[in-house]
Amino acid sequence: KAGVTQTPRYLIKTRGQQVTLSCSPISGHRSVSWYQQTPGQGLQFLFEYFSETQRNKGNFPGRFSGRQFSNSRSEMNVSTLELGDSALYLCASSLEQGAGEKLFFGSGTQLSVL
Amino acid sequence: AQSVTQLDSQVPVFEEAPVELRCNYSSSVSVYLFWYVQYPNQGLQLLLKYLSGSTLVKGINGFEAEFNKSQTSFHLRKPSVHISDTAEYFCAVSERRGTSYGKLTFGQGTILTVHP
């Protein structure tokens, strides 16, 4: 079974632009969550989707948004990029939603904002 | 709200020596506890988790962790490490209540470096 796939692997953007990151969960997994990883702030929860509905959202500005499609694939969008948005963005999927579920992580998208 | 503190940012150790990575948490509600590992240029992989029952949890690759409710700790241990254990380790918690779903709160990570 294929793992969680994130595309693209690397991305370079300039301030003010917008970006869309893609995540394909493990086949059969219905829950997808996103995390931002930076050296300074560590791993921070962005949002979680289940059956195309956002179930939970972290403490990020409205420039960060996401969605989930009927096939469970998910995208996240960041508008009006700032230098501080440079980070590794990790997507994780799980079979069901739930606090004790094992998360399977992708390798991430490394976003650099210049 | 919850918080997780990993007491050591870096732990160097020689091969075949034992290791303990320390994790303390704070939460106003009951939590589930996790340890994840991240190898260079990869995503995170679950090592083990504590949901309920026995406070000693065994995971993959010979790791184990012990949940101590009174000390709000969940330390990770391995009796004999290998070079391949070199990685960054993250302790994480999630609230038990249903509305939190899969949201994890992570510690800052501990870089374990195993020397030959």
Side-chain angles (χ1 to χ4, degrees), chain A residues 31 45 48-50 53-57 94 96-101, chain B residues 2 29-32 94-104:
Chain A
S31 178
F45 173 79
E48 179 182 10
Y49 290 88
F50 182 82
T53 302
Q54 188 180 90
R55 295 292 186 178
N56 210 342
K57 190 178 191 307
S94 62
E96 296 290 340
Q97 63 178 352
E101 285 287 317
Chain B
Q2 314 88 47
V29 300
S30 295
V31 296
Y32 296 127
S94 68
E95 292 182 359
R96 285 178 177 264
R97 60 184 182 187
T99 54
S100 72
Y101 302 107
K103 175 186 175 182
L104 292 177

Side-chain angles (χ1 to χ4, degrees), chain A residues 84-113:
Chain A
D85 297 333
S86 294
L88 179 67
Y89 290 88
L90 292 166
C91 168
S93 73
S94 62
L95 195 59
E96 296 290 340
Q97 63 178 352
E101 285 287 317
K102 174 182 178 179
L103 298 185
F104 293 81
F105 284 82
S107 296
T109 293
Q110 183 68 54
L111 172 65
S112 298
V113 182

Side-chain angles (χ1 to χ4, degrees), chain A residues 21-38:
Chain A
L21 311 181
S22 180
C23 171
S24 293
I26 292 172
S27 177
H29 284 195
R30 299 195 292 165
S31 178
V32 173
S33 52
W34 290 87
Y35 289 82
Q36 181 196 65
Q37 186 176 23
T38 60

Side-chain angles (χ1 to χ4, degrees), chain A residues 3-15:
Chain A
V4 177
T5 304
Q6 291 188 246
T7 56
R9 185 70 178 91
Y10 300 95
L11 205 50
I12 300 175
K13 293 286 187 179
T14 56
R15 279 181 301 172

Side-chain angles (χ1 to χ4, degrees), chain B residues 70-82:
Chain B
S70 63
Q71 297 187 1
T72 60
S73 67
F74 191 54
H75 300 333
L76 181 71
R77 303 185 183 101
K78 186 170 183 177
S80 175
V81 295
H82 304 290

